[in-house]
Amino acid sequence: MTTADNISISPKTPVVKRAWWKESSVYQIYPSSFQDSNGDGIGDIPGIISRLDYFQNLGVDIVWLSPILKSPQVDMGYDISDYYDIHAPYGTREDVDRLIEGLHERGIKYVMDLVVNHTSDQHEWFKQSRSSTENQYRNWYIWRKPKHDAEGNPEPPNNWKSYFGGSAWQLDPTTGEYYLHLFAREQPDLNWENPAVRAAVHDIIRHWLNRGVDGFRMDVINFISKHLDFPDAPITEDSSQPWQDGSMYYACGPRLHEFLGEIGLILKEYDAFSVGEMPCVFDPVEILKAVGFDRHELNMVFQFEIVDIDHGPGGKFSRRKWPLSDLKSIVSKWQTFMHTNEGWNALYLENHDQPRSISRFASQNPEHRTTAGKMLATFLGFQSGTLFIYQGQELGMVNVPETWAIDKFRDIEVLNYWKDLLDAHPNDPDLHNSTLSEIRFKSRDNARTPMQWDSSPHASFTSADSTPWISVNDDFKTWNAASQVTNPDSIFAYWKQVLRLRKEKADIFVYGDYTLIDGENENIFAYTRSFGSMTALVIANFSSSEGNIAWKVPDAVAEILESGRILVANYSDSPKVEAQDQRVIVRPLEAFVAFLDVSAV
Ligand code: TEU
Ligand code: CA
């Protein structure tokens, strides 16, 4: 079957092609919160260099750093003012050279965050662009004339909303025109229609590849091609809101694959790694256009269907209770589709934009926390795709404490959201309180608290007498790397095992196929991976409150449980199989992998 854009959708599974980037696991570092080396309370590159052995010990192949380039830090470095210089508090270009060298010495690759949908408003290109309609950089950004209301006041060219509140358009007084910014108004969107912009991006890519970078994570890369007529978005949200979701007109726009193809040519020359971030698209056919093996655009994409699963009717700061069967449909959809169609998945539950996975998908209750962290590692770590671990996830770090008031938060998204709420509802303490608890649950700052290295002051993220830019989580005395790295029962040790198994048994865990088992069960997520004579059964009980569950073992997997062996498990004694009536007693949050190779029996 063939659809538009020459994507062929295959009815049967081809043999999955091998590639080094499929067998790699990635560790994401949030530079400002990883390790401070000079006591200014901000993590930095020398700090990361001092922890190089930690990555090697964990067993990752690639380290990805969130942006470290020069930036006014309106959005924590996702607003770049110079693509060739380093944000001074993080270090220098020479520090980056040393970092790359240190990683390479340990056989680890370095992936850089490429933020080119937009720049900072302090970038020289934008300063020029806004200075006059005649400036040679004018057309590097997206400028439009105002609309006018009945009184003749200027209004934005359309009703698109920005991710960080208000309209996505900002009126610039110098020329009386609006520019587009899908994120903060200090993050103007580049005009990719302009070949000079694309050439400038290609130069940046080559520059860093030549300097030793091994690949890129590309920020909101599916937003770079917009519908140029800029239509109004349909009213899909609260209709009293003037600003609506315009993503249907800028996500995966008309020229996306042409632009990605140009970048892909450069990446191919260097055999570079690539993962694109693609919010707002849930159709795998759309994403296959970028990640199809022979398309030579991107290796893989972060899709958002899992991390958007609990967004309620009022957006991310409202809740939605989701049944496990929803998660099963989502996971199975992507697993099966990419496997059958020569695409590839990026596997993640956390990053710098998401709350902590234990708090969100399982239970951070102290009696369950370790089991929960290991359960999620099992659930995610044996799927098909390239595995991403976000700093602290390997330690079971959780969301910010319930005691955090709004003044503890640092993220522009949350602070703008809060300000808009106070403006709209100044005298509604109940609403303020309920919103604050949503913020504690979903805010991006949950992921941004400093790494918890040990039980010393500030968890040794920074020196005892300095103040971290954002508070360390209260639980650091118990929950830290020092207490876990040498403990064989820790979450850290468990992740290490998962990473090792993916390497040792790459045939099955990287290249094998995926089958969902018992899709209706609302507590237990079970799937198999198989390759040749090998089958692995992965069981993850998401429930912590149902007590023990007597799981009727489906016929398809009974043999694996009876004759196979356990590769990894999050309870210290083996799973309780009652062979006679084909039941397994699955304990709260229990997870394990049973493995059978029939050629070896
Ligand atoms: O995020 C893009 C994005 O759409 C979300 O993950 C975003 O954080 C979320 O919608 C807010 O609710 C990327 C970066 O990962 C993020 O840190 C940046 O703020 C954003 O792009 C702009 O560069
Ligand atoms: Ca520092």
Side-chain angles (χ1 to χ4, degrees):
M1 182 174 118
T2 297
T3 61
D5 240 331
N6 292 324
I7 282 289
S8 54
I9 306 298
S10 160
K12 69 176 203 320
T13 308
V15 174
V16 175
K17 297 200 177 84
R18 308 228 158 199
W20 63 266
W21 43 265
K22 295 185 176 177
E23 297 177 23
S24 301
S25 298
V26 186
Y27 186 81
Q28 184 192 350
I29 294 181
Y30 200 60
S32 55
S33 300
F34 193 68
Q35 177 68 69
D36 178 21
S37 72
N38 59 355
D40 63 357
I42 302 170
D44 47 51
I45 297 161
I48 299 170
I49 294 173
S50 73
R51 297 291 184 181
L52 285 173
D53 291 337
Y54 182 80
F55 313 129
Q56 202 172 26
N57 184 10
L58 182 59
V60 292
D61 309 283
I62 296 175
V63 158
W64 146 37
L65 263 66
S66 277
I68 54 170
L69 300 181
K70 192 168 176 198
S71 160
Q73 304 286 325
V74 167
D75 184 21
M76 295 301 294
Y78 285 89
D79 49 324
I80 294 171
S81 55
D82 185 343
Y83 289 93
Y84 295 94
D85 202 357
I86 307 300
H87 178 53
Y90 289 162
T92 62
R93 285 169 59 92
E94 289 64 41
D95 290 329
V96 175
D97 293 341
R98 284 198 300 129
L99 172 65
I100 295 177
E101 209 181 286
L103 287 167
H104 287 176
E105 276 166 11
R106 289 164 180 79
I108 300 173
K109 293 183 191 290
Y110 174 76
V111 161
M112 168 177 156
D113 217 309
L114 185 72
V115 188
V116 287
N117 171 68
H118 44 266
T119 69
S120 161
D121 65 345
Q122 298 307 304
H123 195 292
E124 190 54 33
W125 301 337
F126 189 70
K127 291 187 184 169
Q128 295 281 337
S129 186
R130 81 191 324 177
S131 67
S132 115
T133 54
E134 305 306 318
N135 189 279
Q136 56 161 324
Y137 287 95
R138 184 64 170 184
N139 198 24
W140 281 49
Y141 294 84
I142 300 171
W143 292 97
R144 286 291 181 277
K145 293 195 168 45
K147 290 206 295 204
H148 292 95
D149 68 9
E151 279 90 56
N153 302 310
E155 280 189 333
N158 70 23
N159 68 350
W160 295 1
K161 71 170 182 188
S162 131
Y163 283 92
F164 298 150
S167 165
W169 296 91
Q170 177 66 27
L171 183 60
D172 202 47
T174 312
T175 56
E177 292 187 357
Y178 282 87
Y179 64 86
L180 180 72
H181 62 90
L182 295 178
F183 293 90
R185 71 172 65 97
E186 296 87 351
Q187 292 168 296
D189 281 53
L190 280 164
N191 175 19
W192 278 68
E193 303 297 320
N194 182 345
V197 166
R198 304 204 296 280
V201 170
H202 300 163
D203 287 347
I204 294 165
I205 292 175
R206 280 189 191 280
H207 171 84
W208 288 105
L209 287 171
N210 290 337
R211 210 161 167 114
V213 160
D214 299 295
F216 302 92
R217 175 268 185 189
M218 300 181 191
D219 194 60
V220 288
I221 201 64
N222 63 328
F223 291 0
I224 58 179
S225 166
K226 280 97 174 162
H227 282 254
L228 297 177
D229 44 350
F230 295 95
D232 271 334
I235 313 294
T236 50
E237 291 163 46
D238 181 353
S239 56
S240 68
Q241 285 290 321
W243 315 123
Q244 299 283 327
D245 174 13
S247 61
M248 63 185 289
Y249 298 119
Y250 61 73
C252 296
R255 296 181 72 187
L256 175 64
H257 299 289
E258 177 192 341
F259 299 161
L260 286 180
E262 291 173 359
I263 291 177
L265 283 176
I266 307 175
L267 300 176
K268 198 176 166 197
E269 248 179 74
Y270 292 78
D271 193 19
F273 182 91
S274 57
V275 53
E277 187 201 29
M278 295 203 178
C280 312
V281 40
F282 302 124
D283 179 359
V285 176
E286 225 16 83
I287 286 188
L288 188 67
K289 291 176 193 167
V291 305
F293 196 83
D294 295 323
R295 302 267 305 174
H296 303 296
E297 294 185 13
L298 300 174
N299 296 154
M300 65 199 86
V301 153
F302 294 125
Q303 49 86 6
F304 278 62
E305 211 170 0
I306 293 178
V307 294
D308 287 352
I309 196 171
D310 55 4
H311 290 194
K316 88 180 244 189
F317 296 115
S318 68
R319 267 184 228 212
R320 175 177 171 263
K321 264 186 83 72
W322 48 278
L324 192 67
S325 47
D326 279 11
L327 183 65
K328 291 181 178 185
S329 325
I330 296 171
V331 168
S332 302
K333 164 178 135 184
W334 293 94
Q335 288 287 300
T336 309
F337 183 88
M338 289 303 171
H339 191 83
T340 1
N341 294 292
E342 304 204 341
W344 196 245
N345 284 301
L347 308 171
Y348 75 103
L349 289 178
E350 291 189 18
N351 62 36
H352 64 291
D353 293 334
Q354 300 296 332
R356 292 293 185 172
S357 57
I358 293 181
S359 314
R360 187 182 198 185
F361 297 110
S363 163
Q364 65 171 61
N365 178 329
E367 80 175 283
H368 288 134
R369 183 160 160 186
T370 298
T371 318
K374 294 176 181 178
M375 183 278 284
L376 292 171
T378 317
F379 157 73
L380 188 72
F382 294 99
Q383 289 176 34
S384 158
T386 295
L387 180 59
F388 288 76
I389 302 174
Y390 177 70
Q391 69 177 49
Q393 186 177 5
E394 77 284 11
L395 302 174
M397 281 176 63
V398 296
N399 277 358
V400 302
E402 287 301 309
T403 52
W404 270 36
I406 195 70
D407 65 322
K408 289 279 201 182
F409 291 86
R410 298 286 176 269
D411 180 20
I412 180 173
E413 178 187 41
V414 141
L415 299 180
N416 284 357
Y417 187 84
W418 186 253
K419 191 178 164 295
D420 289 349
L421 179 88
L422 293 190
D423 287 350
H425 309 275
N427 304 312
D428 192 342
D430 286 348
L431 181 64
H432 300 172
N433 283 332
S434 62
T435 304
L436 197 51
S437 72
E438 292 309 306
I439 286 176
R440 287 192 206 103
F441 189 58
K442 292 269 185 64
S443 159
R444 309 197 294 183
D445 282 334
N446 284 304
R448 300 177 180 186
T449 62
M451 259 300 266
Q452 296 169 200
W453 292 107
D454 59 34
S455 56
S456 324
H458 305 312
S460 286
F461 159 69
T462 184
S463 48
D465 55 353
S466 64
T467 310
W469 72 276
I470 188 169
S471 300
V472 176
N473 196 311
D474 297 348
D475 64 9
F476 73 93
K477 291 219 161 96
T478 326
W479 292 89
N480 58 61
S483 69
Q484 292 199 32
V485 166
T486 53
N487 172 0
D489 298 324
S490 65
I491 299 181
F492 181 91
Y494 197 91
W495 272 107
K496 249 179 105 156
Q497 255 182 298
V498 172
L499 294 173
R500 208 191 52 231
L501 280 165
R502 284 184 74 90
K503 281 250 172 317
E504 277 173 19
K505 297 199 178 333
D507 276 353
I508 179 164
F509 291 131
V510 177
Y511 298 107
D513 55 19
Y514 163 100
T515 310
L516 181 70
I517 305 292
D518 191 8
E520 278 79 54
N521 195 303
E522 293 292 358
N523 298 304
I524 295 171
F525 199 124
Y527 61 90
T528 57
R529 301 295 309 279
S530 50
F531 186 91
S533 57
M534 297 180 278
T535 316
L537 170 65
V538 181
I539 303 256
N541 182 1
F542 272 72
S543 113
S544 53
S545 55
E546 301 288 309
N548 291 347
I549 295 171
W551 188 54
K552 172 93 176 63
V553 178
D555 290 341
V557 297
E559 197 197 348
I560 310 170
L561 276 181
E562 276 157 29
S563 323
R565 64 190 169 91
I566 302 295
L567 290 183
V568 63
N570 70 347
Y571 273 73
S572 54
D573 54 344
S574 353
K576 307 244 179 303
V577 187
E578 286 170 14
Q580 318 90 309
D581 63 347
Q582 253 185 243
R583 271 172 205 280
V584 172
I585 304 301
V586 188
R587 291 163 283 189
L589 299 166
E590 181 161 13
F592 61 86
V593 179
F595 175 81
L596 180 66
D597 186 344
V598 288
S599 75
V601 184

